[in-house]
Amino acid sequence: MNRKEIAENYPELLVADGFDKAILGVSQQFNSLSVAYDRNKCIEILMTRDNMTQLEAVEYFEYNVIGSYMGEHTPSFIER
């Protein structure tokens, strides 16, 4: 599933900008849906796109991405 398909089928869901290549699909927990991302792929994207070290990418990701609660449909991140 990609960002366009998610927007068409689940317009209420929020996405994490810049991490489209890390989308796994839509996850469901109880009655709540969210876009699910591959955590490690997100970190790889930060390292490549923003020329960060792994440590910098992890710290940035944990604080600025995972640490950003945006309400009921906040994206989820899965470590594989």
Side-chain angles (χ1 to χ4, degrees), residues 14-68:
L14 303 172
V15 294
D17 290 332
F19 296 107
D20 291 357
K21 292 184 179 181
I23 292 173
L24 296 172
V26 174
S27 67
Q28 180 176 5
Q29 183 176 5
F30 191 56
N31 288 331
S32 181
L33 297 174
S34 66
V35 178
Y37 292 84
D38 181 325
R39 179 188 186 278
N40 294 330
K41 183 69 177 170
C42 291
I43 292 169
E44 288 175 18
I45 289 169
L46 289 170
M47 291 170 62
T48 303
R49 184 190 69 200
D50 299 340
N51 198 31
M52 294 182 180
T53 66
Q54 183 174 10
L55 179 60
E56 290 170 334
V58 168
E59 287 178 352
Y60 178 91
F61 181 75
E62 289 178 353
Y63 184 80
N64 294 292
V65 181
I66 291 180
S68 298

Side-chain angles (χ1 to χ4, degrees), residues 1-3 9 13 17 20 28 44 48 63 67 73 78:
M1 183 168 276
N2 61 43
R3 187 177 182 145
N9 295 301
L13 298 186
D17 290 332
D20 291 357
Q28 180 176 5
E44 288 175 18
T48 303
Y63 184 80
H73 299 294
I78 298 170

